[in-house]
Amino acid sequence: MSWTDERVELLKKLWGDGLSASQIAAELGEVTRNAVIGKVHRLGLSGRAKTAPTAARPRKPAREAEPRRDARPQRPLTHGATALAPELEQMAEEAPAPAPQSADNVVPIGQRCTIMNLTESTCRWPMGEPGTDGFYFCGGKSKQGLPYCAHHARIAYQPVQDRRRDRRLAYLA
DNA sequence: CCCTGATTCGC
DNA sequence: GCGAATCAGG
């Protein structure tokens, strides 16, 4: 997969929205966060804020071609990494229950889970009508205490996105 | 350990 | 130009 115009445009948009490189990578698919970061730099739109306090890098001692381990294979079943500002974690607890039945979302059967299979790292986005047989949770991989996977977190917190970003920049500045 | 972006450099 | 490996940090 290459950087088509559409993908680059989406990259710019998401980066501008303050999403992390790994989130963007998950959103784009078929690329790692390193690829995203590399592209961001080449496009010259790095440095979203925070004046790099850690500028000077000691250089890397030339490296030879190594057996290089597998390039992290993005799991098709999950929505990849997630990491939102700490402020969001609080909101997560009070976040209004997302609309139960989302006709648009279809989760792979193998990923779905019930209340019994939920762990700290599974997406709790409800699917279907609670209490009925068809009900289940997304079950995608969530991280850092967030209750949702990257995909559902975006949906759940959309209205607050602006505030979140501003806050983040505020304390980083 | 989870994650973040930044950089280097072989390809 | 691309991005894995690495680094430095939270």
Side-chain angles (χ1 to χ4, degrees):
Chain A
M1 185 54 88
S2 57
W3 287 106
T4 62
D5 287 1
E6 297 91 271
R7 287 165 68 77
V8 170
E9 208 172 320
L10 181 55
L11 165 61
K12 287 179 180 175
K13 175 186 176 299
L14 297 176
W15 183 259
D17 282 348
L19 294 191
S20 72
S22 60
Q23 283 180 306
I24 295 173
E27 206 98 340
L28 288 171
E30 314 230 325
V31 282
T32 65
R33 77 181 195 90
N34 278 314
V36 169
I37 291 173
K39 188 60 180 176
V40 161
H41 280 241
R42 266 173 260 122
L43 287 172
L45 34 76
S46 67
R48 238 175 323 198
K50 62 148 185 258
T51 18
T54 315
R57 314 223 64 268
R59 284 174 63 260
K60 182 178 60 172
R63 195 170 39 71
E64 294 305 312
E66 288 172 21
R68 97 161 59 156
R69 339 180 99 248
D70 244 13
R72 46 172 77 183
Q74 298 279 356
R75 291 223 155 284
L77 293 181
T78 71
H79 281 102
T82 297
L84 300 176
E87 286 74 20
L88 268 187
E89 291 190 41
Q90 305 178 323
M91 313 199 72
E93 292 157 27
E94 308 171 76
Q101 73 308 343
S102 296
D104 57 277
N105 280 316
V106 178
V107 175
I109 295 179
Q111 176 188 300
R112 302 178 180 187
C113 60
T114 67
I115 188 88
M116 300 304 293
N117 318 67
L118 285 179
T119 71
E120 283 190 22
S121 61
T122 51
C123 178
R124 291 162 161 67
W125 187 272
M127 306 289 289
E129 193 66 30
T132 68
D133 275 359
F135 181 76
Y136 63 92
F137 291 98
C138 165
K141 183 165 188 191
S142 65
K143 285 175 183 168
Q144 292 188 181
L146 275 183
Y148 309 121
C149 63
H151 181 234
H152 287 133
R154 286 200 77 208
I155 298 175
Y157 306 127
Q158 241 173 32
V160 214
Q161 206 163 327
D162 285 349
R163 189 157 74 84
R164 175 204 55 153
R165 191 194 60 223
D166 291 341
R167 292 254 175 167
R168 179 181 218 179
L169 294 177
Y171 75 70
L172 284 175

